[in-house]
Structure formats: C-alpha cells, structure tokens
C-alpha cells in the first residue's frame, strides 16, 4: 500500500477518524468533504491542518468529479453515504442517488484510474434482524428500511465490478460504531447530550433491540487493516466485537458512568415502523480476524468513557441541538 489515499465521506464521523489515523500512519490523504456554500468541511474542521492532508469539496453523485479526485491515488476508502435511517423514510430517492449511484461512480472511477484497492463501506443494517447469531457474512440480507435497501444495492454494485471487471475491491461492514463526533441521530450521543445538558427525562425510542457496538477508533483500524491485507479482493468482512447489549442496558451504563439518576420516556417519533426495526445485531468477525489480524482494543465501558469525556467538553457539547429530534 503506497502513501497516496483517497477518503470519501472524510468530513463525517467515521471518515474523520479514519483520516486522522491515516495521517498519523504517514499517509498522504486526499479527503472528500461534501460540497456546501459555507465552505465548511464538517468534522475535518476539528483536524489540525497538515502538509499531507488535501481537502477537496464535491459530491460522489458526479461521475466526472469522482474520476478527477481518484486520479493518482493508490487506495480508495469509500465512506460517503446518507446514513440516517429515519430520514430515509422521508427521502428515499436521495439515498438511491447517493448510496447506490455514488458507489457506482466511485467503482467506475477506481476502475478507470487503476487503483490498487477500493474499500467500499457497507453496514450491519443490510442483515436486518438476526436470523442467527453471531451474524457472519453469509447471513441473508433483509432490506428493513430504505437506507438498508440502498446499502444492499451498493454492495451488489461493488461486487459486480469485482466479478465483471476484476476491480480490486473489498467490502467493509462495520457494526454499530460510536464515539466522539457521532451524529445526534444515534442513540449513544442522544442520551449523553441530554444528560449533559441537565435533562431529567431522557427521550428515547425502543429500548429492547440489541446492538454490537464498536468504538470508532477500532472501526478505523479495521478499515486500515483491510487496506493492508493481501489476497482478500472480492470479499466482504464484518467489523464487529461479537457481543451484544440491549439499548436499555446501554443507557443504564451511560447513566451510571455519568452519575445520573434520570428516567427515560419513549418519544413516539423516535420509533421505527414495526417491520422496519432491526431487533437484534451481533456480529461474527472471525473472517476479519483471520484475514487481517484485527481485533477490537476497547471494551464498551472504556469506549463509552472516552465518548462521554469528549461530548461533555463545553466546546463540543454546544455543537449539538440536544432538545431536537435529529433524524
């Protein structure tokens, strides 16, 4: 793996942490930030400027632009996507454009530019509610939301480019990642920001589903491991801890760590449609571990402590509109 890499979605939660890791490892990073007229680079604004960091603004829905930013890059980490499940109920067409067409554009660009490897980002949501646990890569796909349907489609587009054109790609499938900079649409930052702002009643959705939570630094190291491993082209890999915890137990853990005795109330607008809720996720990462040597380095409790510490800093907490439901 040479030193020139491209990260799409670098301005987002996982993308910004991956960008930081790559810079720390000595890579020359071209980081794509979604274009906006405010000239704001998202979470890349929190990363110190560096000689080996080039930030470009644009949109993966533009095929010519994708080709232009891919030129000269050895490795592509494709993370750009629309990810919020509730918003996908309202605007599914935009998810098709960004997630499916955007992945098509990046695969075509990677093919045209002769990259050594492209890592395409999937999600554990493609599996839907577990039919068995731990979930391995052979588990059936179940499109329980427009978001997950578009990610299933994006995975299929990527796989087709490997099968049809020998595009050297790998599909990374992280389970539920959490940590500093995560959007307030997710359950962990939702709870932390409400408690940190003094709320006595914490608004939540369904607390019965289980999730396999990955600390974001572990997820970023998983992407890097997949970029470095040899002979894994055309395969998909779960990035998971192999453990599961209910939303209720997660929230109790956060309250304990924040020394809070808040009570939780169900906010109906935060509930998914009944057939759309993924009831259980617990991933099998044996394939990932055998192929790359990767393993998570953080327990849930240690990761939550680091996450709480970051969110409760005043300069970070003020960035979150904790009284609003963030779709």
């Amino acid at each position: 793996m040479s030193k020139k890499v491209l990260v799409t979605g670098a301005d987002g939660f996982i993308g910004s942490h991956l960008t930081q890791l790559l810079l720390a490892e000595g890579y020359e990073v071209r980081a794509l930030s979604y274009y906006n007229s405010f000239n704001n680079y998202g979470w890349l604004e929190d990363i110190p400027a560096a000689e080996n960091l080039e930030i470009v603004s644009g949109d993966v829905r533009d095929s010519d632009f994708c080709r232009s930013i891919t030129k000269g890059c050895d490795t592509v980490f494709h993370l750009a996507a629309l990810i919020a499940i509730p918003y996908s109920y309202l605007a599914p067409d935009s998810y098709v454009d960004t997630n499916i067409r955007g992945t098509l554009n990046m695969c075509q660009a990677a093919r045209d530019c002769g990259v050594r490897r492209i890592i395409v980002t999937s999600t554990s949501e493609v599996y839907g509610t577990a039919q068995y646990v731990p979930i391995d890569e052979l588990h059936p796909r179940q499109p329980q939301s427009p978001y997950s349907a578009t990610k299933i489609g994006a995975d299929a587009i990527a796989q087709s480019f490997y099968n049809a054109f020998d595009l050297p790609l790998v599909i990374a499938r992280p389970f539920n990642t959490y940590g500093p900079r995560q959007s307030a649409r997710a359950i962990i930052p939702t709870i932390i920001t409400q408690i940190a702002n003094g709320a006595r009643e914490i608004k939540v959705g369904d607390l019965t589903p289980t999730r396999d939570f990955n600390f974001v630094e572990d997820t970023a190291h998983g992407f890097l491991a997949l970029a470095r491993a040899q002979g894994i082209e055309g395969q998909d890999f779960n990035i998971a801890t192999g453990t599961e915890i209910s939303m209720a137990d997660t929230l109790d853990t956060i309250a304990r760590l924040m020394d809070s005795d808040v009570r939780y109330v169900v906010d109906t607008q935060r509930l998914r449609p009944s057939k759309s809720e993924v009831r259980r996720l617990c991933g099998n990462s044996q394939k990932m571990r055998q192929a790359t040597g990767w393993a998570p380095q953080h327990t849930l409790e240690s990761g939550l402590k680091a996450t709480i510490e970051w969110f409760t800093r005043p300069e970070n907490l003020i960035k979150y509109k904790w009284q609003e439901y963030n779709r």
Side-chain angles (χ1 to χ4, degrees), residues 209-263:
T210 67
R211 293 292 184 264
D212 185 330
F213 286 115
N214 286 286
F215 188 59
V216 65
E217 290 181 8
D218 288 331
T219 298
H221 277 279
F223 275 87
L224 182 55
L226 289 173
R228 288 173 167 171
Q230 301 297 313
I232 61 171
E233 288 80 6
Q235 300 182 58
D236 55 346
F237 294 88
N238 290 339
I239 302 176
T241 69
T243 61
E244 61 182 317
I245 184 172
S246 71
M247 298 293 193
D249 289 343
T250 302
L251 304 187
D252 286 343
T253 302
I254 293 171
R256 173 174 56 80
L257 293 175
M258 296 184 73
D259 194 25
S260 173
D261 59 355
V262 294
R263 59 183 295 264

Side-chain angles (χ1 to χ4, degrees), residues 249-284:
D249 289 343
T250 302
L251 304 187
D252 286 343
T253 302
I254 293 171
R256 173 174 56 80
L257 293 175
M258 296 184 73
D259 194 25
S260 173
D261 59 355
V262 294
R263 59 183 295 264
Y264 304 114
V265 295
V266 174
D267 180 1
T268 56
Q269 69 174 333
R270 299 170 190 255
L271 298 173
R272 294 196 203 182
S274 59
K275 290 184 290 187
S276 186
E277 179 62 78
V278 174
R279 308 301 314 176
R280 188 180 187 189
L281 287 173
C282 180
N284 183 337

Side-chain angles (χ1 to χ4, degrees), residues 3-306:
K3 292 297 184 179
K4 185 62 177 286
V5 302
L6 168 66
V7 180
T8 73
D11 51 348
F13 166 46
I14 298 175
S16 63
H17 284 276
L18 176 59
T19 297
Q20 275 191 299
L21 173 62
L22 291 166
L23 291 172
E25 292 287 325
Y27 291 96
E28 183 181 351
V29 182
R30 180 176 293 158
L32 173 60
S33 172
Y34 179 56
Y35 172 80
N36 62 84
S37 61
F38 302 104
N39 203 31
N40 184 281
Y41 299 142
W43 288 118
L44 291 174
E45 300 281 355
D46 284 30
I47 296 178
E51 288 186 3
N52 54 339
L53 173 62
E54 174 194 5
I55 300 176
V56 295
S57 295
D59 193 329
V60 294
R61 293 175 296 180
D62 188 297
S63 59
D64 287 337
F65 173 78
C66 291
R67 193 173 296 107
S68 71
I69 63 172
T70 303
K71 289 179 181 177
C73 292
D74 170 83
T75 304
V76 175
F77 297 90
H78 176 47
L79 286 81
L82 287 177
I83 62 171
I85 294 167
Y87 186 60
S88 78
Y89 301 137
L90 301 177
D93 190 60
S94 61
Y95 283 67
V96 172
D97 276 353
T98 299
N99 297 352
I100 297 179
R101 183 166 294 280
T103 298
L104 170 63
N105 289 340
M106 287 308 305
C107 286
Q108 187 65 64
R111 181 190 177 207
D112 291 346
C113 295
V115 304
R116 182 194 66 87
R117 179 169 295 167
I118 176 172
I119 294 92
V120 174
T121 309
S122 182
T123 169
S124 57
E125 286 283 325
V126 302
Y127 295 126
T129 298
Q131 296 183 13
Y132 58 84
V133 294
I135 298 168
D136 59 23
E137 291 81 0
L138 298 177
H139 189 284
R141 277 45 168 175
Q142 301 178 101
Q144 290 182 222
S145 67
Y147 163 68
S148 65
T150 62
K151 294 300 282 186
I152 291 170
D155 289 357
I157 284 289
Q159 191 66 46
S160 77
F161 266 68
Y162 172 76
N163 292 331
F165 309 118
D166 288 322
L167 180 66
L169 70 85
V170 173
I171 296 175
R173 187 166 295 118
F175 278 61
N176 299 82
T177 301
Y178 71 97
R181 304 184 194 138
Q182 188 173 21
S183 165
R185 63 166 185 80
I187 186 68
I188 288 175
T190 292
I191 298 305
I192 294 173
T193 55
Q194 289 183 74
I195 294 176
N197 279 285
R200 301 303 304 158
E201 290 189 342
I202 305 301
K203 295 179 180 179
V204 295
D206 191 346
L207 295 182
T208 59
T210 67
R211 293 292 184 264
D212 185 330
F213 286 115
N214 286 286
F215 188 59
V216 65
E217 290 181 8
D218 288 331
T219 298
H221 277 279
F223 275 87
L224 182 55
L226 289 173
R228 288 173 167 171
Q230 301 297 313
I232 61 171
E233 288 80 6
Q235 300 182 58
D236 55 346
F237 294 88
N238 290 339
I239 302 176
T241 69
T243 61
E244 61 182 317
I245 184 172
S246 71
M247 298 293 193
D249 289 343
T250 302
L251 304 187
D252 286 343
T253 302
I254 293 171
R256 173 174 56 80
L257 293 175
M258 296 184 73
D259 194 25
S260 173
D261 59 355
V262 294
R263 59 183 295 264
Y264 304 114
V265 295
V266 174
D267 180 1
T268 56
Q269 69 174 333
R270 299 170 190 255
L271 298 173
R272 294 196 203 182
S274 59
K275 290 184 290 187
S276 186
E277 179 62 78
V278 174
R279 308 301 314 176
R280 188 180 187 189
L281 287 173
C282 180
N284 183 337
S285 62
Q286 182 178 2
K287 182 180 177 184
M288 173 78 177
R289 294 173 190 238
Q290 290 178 342
T292 71
W294 173 90
Q297 300 301 304
H298 297 80
T299 65
L300 178 61
E301 185 146 328
S302 68
L304 285 175
K305 286 179 179 177

